[in-house]
Amino acid sequence: MSRDNLYADGEIKEDFRFTEGVAEVFDDMLSRSVPGYAQVIEMSAQLLGRFLKPEERVYDLGCSTGATLLKLAKRLEPLSLHFTGIDNSAPMIAKARRKAEMYGKQEQLTFIENDILDADLPDAGAIILNYTMQFIRPMLRADFLQKICTALRPGGVLIMSEKILSPDPLINRAFIDCYLDFKRSQGYSELEISRKREALENVLIPFTMAENIDLLQRAGFTRVEPFCQWFNFVSILAVK
Ligand code: GEK
């Protein structure tokens, strides 16, 4: 796996975008930037195994290099599920397809380059939206979640993970400090951390837990429950 050194050098960088360079180091970047990433996928597999019926289709919106779907395909093999990953970054989709081929899973896994706001989601048993809603413009989020809920069959599930804000400034600061310690522990320097933060400033817009839950309920989900939280990162299960 190529190591993420994108913000280590002296160049001045523009706003963060999902480019070829990012796709190349993405798996390393995610495991060193998202606390509990592997655990969230494992917990998602356990939940999906309980809610899905054999041969149903699972969508991963903002699938990046397909890491989640590859893991789920392995973990949920007995259910003979179909998986579709959608992402609007061409280099991410190219990498996801290469990985699926490498693992001999290209029959089960389809990767589509498209904007998730425009994509059709036929026959959805489950939809995964991990660390991606935070990149969707806030004013578009309610309609997007409504579209997701409409696409799911009754009893179908959405798994949504997000970076969140705490409404309490003191707690918010403490959570961010814990997160900065996590990034340091993963070998990122102070310079890399601050450059990345600047690049994400207007691109990644987190909501609070309450705002996310409210959006999900308004979209039509009847049961909404967080199943994993690490300081300012949360994963939520929503059942239609
Ligand atoms: C994982 N879920 O491994 N349409 C399609 N894709 C989009 C859009 C959009 N409108 N906006 C952003 N993306 C993955 C990690 S990363 C999270 C998700 C991160 C895509 C973007 O190209 C990128 O691949 C992904 O959403 C967000 O669990 O980088 O922090």
Side-chain angles (χ1 to χ4, degrees):
M1 196 194 297
S2 307
R3 191 167 169 88
D4 168 23
N5 287 321
L6 292 177
Y7 290 88
D9 64 27
E11 280 175 56
I12 296 180
K13 298 267 161 53
E14 54 193 13
D15 276 354
F16 187 79
R17 286 186 306 119
F18 293 97
T19 55
E20 176 87 47
V22 170
E24 187 52 41
V25 301
F26 192 76
D27 290 3
D28 176 63
M29 176 189 289
L30 223 59
S31 65
R32 290 166 65 217
S33 308
V34 179
Y37 180 73
Q39 165 128 27
V40 166
I41 298 180
E42 173 53 33
M43 291 173 85
S44 304
Q46 291 185 34
L47 286 171
L48 292 174
R50 283 169 171 78
F51 282 92
L52 283 167
K53 301 173 187 155
E55 297 189 25
E56 283 200 300
R57 185 164 293 277
V58 178
Y59 289 89
D60 187 5
L61 308 183
C63 64
S64 301
T65 67
T68 299
L69 290 188
L70 273 165
K71 180 76 190 176
L72 291 179
K74 227 182 284 168
R75 272 287 275 98
L76 299 172
E77 195 126 43
L79 283 175
S80 306
L81 299 167
H82 306 280
F83 297 94
T84 302
I86 305 176
D87 203 292
N88 64 356
S89 158
M92 292 287 191
I93 289 294
K95 191 156 184 191
R97 287 185 182 137
R98 280 201 302 276
K99 278 164 62 178
E101 264 169 46
M102 222 166 74
Y103 290 101
K105 295 263 184 216
Q106 63 272 41
E107 299 291 300
Q108 247 182 305
L109 290 158
T110 309
F111 289 102
I112 299 173
E113 182 191 332
N114 198 357
D115 194 310
I116 53 178
L117 298 170
D118 302 332
D120 286 332
L121 308 169
D123 305 319
I127 296 175
I128 300 167
L129 183 63
N130 280 351
Y131 316 106
T132 296
M133 187 60 121
Q134 57 201 23
F135 293 106
I136 301 295
R137 279 171 51 207
M139 60 182 295
L140 302 177
R141 291 183 194 183
D143 283 354
F144 179 47
L145 279 180
Q146 237 164 49
K147 164 185 148 159
I148 287 177
C149 192
T150 304
L152 284 165
R153 64 153 166 88
V157 295
L158 168 69
I159 288 179
M160 177 169 115
S161 302
E162 284 281 283
K163 195 177 205 176
I164 53 165
L165 285 177
S166 169
D168 181 285
L170 193 77
I171 294 177
N172 196 51
R173 188 66 253 164
F175 283 6
I176 290 172
D177 286 343
C178 291
Y179 179 56
L180 294 178
D181 279 347
F182 169 79
K183 295 217 36 169
R184 290 180 193 112
S185 77
Q186 297 299 307
Y188 284 112
S189 70
E190 299 304 317
L191 199 64
E192 283 176 286
I193 292 171
S194 69
R195 284 208 183 114
K196 177 78 178 278
R197 206 193 54 223
E198 274 167 34
L200 283 172
E201 187 95 34
N202 304 311
V203 182
L204 191 166
I205 300 169
F207 278 6
T208 64
M209 174 91 94
E211 283 170 331
N212 279 308
I213 288 180
D214 184 55
L215 274 183
L216 287 163
Q217 287 169 335
R218 281 172 194 269
F221 289 97
T222 53
R223 297 179 167 86
V224 179
E225 187 83 33
F227 65 90
C228 186
Q229 182 169 2
W230 186 99
F231 299 119
N232 54 342
F233 285 80
V234 69
S235 299
I236 303 172
L237 173 70
V239 185
K240 176 167 173 178

